């Protein structure tokens, strides 16, 4: 599978790259970024997946995430995929809304037309991109973890809960924890997966936990000044589900923080240290 | 003087703000950013000035500079002005080039028409904005330092050399060190100040040092893969001038680094620690 190098820049002693490839999963070109810290020849490194939120591409976290200093210090590869297929022939929200279609793939494989052809972000993030990464970067596939923000926090939680043997750590910044119970999620899951809510449960962190999915522990940071908290994020639903399932959840309500990358970057190094402890255990 | 709050976001325990005001110096609205770390009521903090390079606004370093974690740890206020006056009535490069006019004020007070009315970045950065800052933020005016990148490195060096009593530390990332000897600088200084090169010397770090200006020491990081190094930056000219004048210059040629914010952000924390040592001495 051929990989086009969009850009590489030396940063914090490692290489921050942006790459493009023709995706079999989405039938479009896909762009992603990878930071590889300085390492010995032949050495393989643990990898942290970062899934972004609504409206974002790989660029937002790459430019504003403040992850490179900690990844360099801890020896972690950091991968950031895009949030949806893109291109003029890719179906979008009929009204051009920001919360569905382009920039809003919700990390599912769509079954509904006209989205089923391209909107296969679940397969892309869980199958295709991991393979591509292993072929092209010095990753240790036995040491992977996943984190994300907002819609990407939803992605990290649901992928982490579906693949507990693959990911040694799962964390999130301001995640959508129960998409079936909030407007953003209801719009996306019905649009991509249809009205049968049974098909939604594999893509809803709270439902997955109710249905028996387990991870060793979870770390979630949530700003209490986040304007999406009450209607869309509702972290207390995850708190309740984890309590019922006896999953140790560290939910930190961060006073005064909002939903922006100013919030994410403030706690990024904390999350990476938490991941590194579990990746190197 | 009234200040409009464009945005404030909590970050790394402090407040990252963006502000706008009607500038008397430039006769336009001007936008700048300030990060104020968490502090005790009534406490005043040392302030680091950061001057940006060609094409930038205050936003580039604010989003990509990775300065907040170190400023929070070290208790430093970080101020980032824009790089020129802006507005539909402000004169620009006749060809719309990136290296003159909008986004390219070069930190001088223009004497040539049609630039003399608005292009007064020297007065703005050295007089008006310091006053505004003192009125609105908890700054300790006796503890100030200055740094910058590229054209902003030129600004930091020339302002630092002109005001050695005001700034306790001066550093730069990939600065233009001798504008009178390089194409970017020759275009800007002739365009803003006219053809009489005597008027340029106050705005040329190497000429200032030749003419007797002194600072206690200087820190400069320069990527050796910076495509502007040989033609526009020419850091060896500063090295020679400092050697002749016995100014201790720490010039670090950083192997493999380019001219981007990936380079700046890699060494930002180093610079801030170097500033903090001098600001708190």
């Amino acid at each position: 599978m051929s990989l086009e190098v969009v850009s590489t820049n030396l940063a914090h002693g490692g290489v921050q790259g942006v790459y493009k490839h023709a995706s079999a999963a989405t039938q479009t070109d896909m762009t992603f970024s990878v930071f590889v810290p300085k390492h010995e020849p032949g050495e393989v490194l643990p990898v942290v997946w970062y899934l972004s939120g609504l409206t974002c591409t790989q660029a937002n976290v790459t430019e504003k995430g403040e992850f490179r200093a900690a990844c360099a210090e801890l020896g972690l590869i950091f991968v950031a995929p895009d949030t949806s297929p893109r291109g003029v022939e890719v179906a979008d929200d009929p009204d051009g809304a920001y919360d569905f279609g382009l920039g809003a793939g919700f990390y599912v494989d769509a079954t509904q037309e006209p989205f089923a052809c391209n909107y296969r972000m679940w397969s892309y993030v869980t199958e295709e991109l991991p393979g591509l990464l292993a072929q092209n970067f010095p990753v240790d596939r036995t040491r992977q973890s996943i984190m994300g923000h907002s819609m990407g926090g939803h992605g990290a939680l649901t992928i982490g809960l579906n693949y507990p043997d693959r990911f040694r750590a799962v964390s999130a910044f301001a995640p959508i924890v129960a998409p079936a119970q909030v407007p953003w999620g209801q719009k996306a899951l019905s649009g991509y997966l249809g009205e049968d809510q049974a098909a939604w449960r594999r893509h809803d962190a709270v439902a997955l936990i109710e249905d028996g999915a387990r991870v060793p522990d979870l770390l979630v940071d949530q700003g209490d000044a986040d304007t999406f908290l009450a209607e869309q994020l509702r972290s207390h639903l995850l708190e309740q589900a984890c309590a019922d399932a006896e999953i140790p959840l560290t939910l930190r309500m961060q006073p005064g923080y909002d939903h922006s990358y100013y919030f994410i970057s403030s706690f990024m190094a904390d999350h990476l240290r938490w991941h590194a402890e579990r990746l190197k255990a």
Side-chain angles (χ1 to χ4, degrees), chain A:
Chain A
M1 209 171 336
S2 89
L3 203 59
E4 177 190 338
V5 178
V6 177
S7 62
T8 57
N9 298 83
L10 199 61
H12 292 283
V15 175
Q16 177 62 62
V18 178
Y19 307 92
K20 195 161 90 172
H21 66 113
S23 166
T26 68
Q27 298 289 309
T28 65
D29 283 352
M30 290 294 287
T31 303
F32 63 96
S33 81
V34 181
F35 177 70
V36 179
K38 191 174 177 181
H39 59 284
E40 299 298 319
E43 187 184 8
V44 291
L45 302 176
V47 55
V48 178
W49 291 80
Y50 177 92
L51 304 184
S52 295
L54 290 167
T55 77
C56 289
T57 69
Q58 84 294 333
N60 303 68
V61 72
T62 303
E63 297 176 355
K64 303 179 184 177
E66 301 187 13
F67 58 84
R68 279 177 290 272
C71 284
E73 176 197 330
L74 300 165
L76 304 175
I77 290 176
F78 189 97
V79 184
D82 201 349
T83 55
S84 79
R86 294 180 193 272
V88 289
E89 288 165 19
V90 175
D92 193 6
D93 183 278
D95 302 318
Y98 74 96
D99 58 0
F100 188 76
L102 299 180
F106 263 86
Y107 306 101
V108 298
D109 284 347
T111 57
Q112 305 300 298
E113 296 306 340
F115 305 103
C117 169
N118 303 122
Y119 284 81
R120 298 185 60 81
M121 290 301 293
W122 183 269
S123 292
Y124 179 69
V125 168
T126 65
E127 293 170 27
E128 184 176 17
L129 192 51
L132 195 64
L133 203 71
Q135 283 167 35
N136 292 278
F137 299 91
V139 301
D140 179 352
R141 293 184 79 157
T142 70
R143 293 186 294 159
Q144 299 191 62
S145 69
I146 192 162
M147 61 165 72
H149 170 235
S150 194
M151 175 184 75
H154 148 73
L157 293 171
T158 53
I159 292 173
L161 285 160
N162 273 281
Y163 292 96
D165 295 338
R166 185 186 300 183
F167 298 104
R168 297 202 195 178
V170 183
S171 76
F173 304 97
I176 302 169
V177 303
Q181 300 184 51
V182 305
W184 276 345
Q186 289 160 347
K187 178 177 178 180
L189 297 181
S190 62
Y192 293 131
L193 303 179
E195 297 302 331
D196 177 6
Q197 298 202 9
W200 299 9
R201 294 188 70 81
R202 190 179 170 217
H203 297 289
D204 180 302
V206 164
L208 277 162
I209 293 170
E210 288 171 356
D211 291 347
R214 294 292 179 268
V215 286
D217 54 4
L218 288 170
L219 171 63
V220 171
D221 274 310
Q222 172 63 58
D224 77 357
D226 184 329
T227 51
F228 299 114
L229 173 56
E231 188 180 11
Q232 306 284 7
L233 307 176
R234 302 182 72 185
S235 47
H236 68 280
L237 295 175
L238 181 65
E239 199 168 24
Q240 188 59 55
C242 285
D244 292 346
E246 297 181 350
I247 297 174
L249 165 68
T250 303
L251 171 61
R252 308 191 300 189
M253 294 302 293
Q254 300 288 1
Y257 282 87
D258 60 24
H259 199 66
S260 72
Y261 270 92
Y262 293 106
F263 157 65
I264 298 168
S265 61
S266 296
F267 302 103
M268 178 61 85
D270 275 5
H271 280 241
L272 290 168
R273 279 188 209 102
W274 191 85
H275 283 243
E277 282 172 18
R278 284 152 184 78
L279 288 165
K280 296 177 175 183

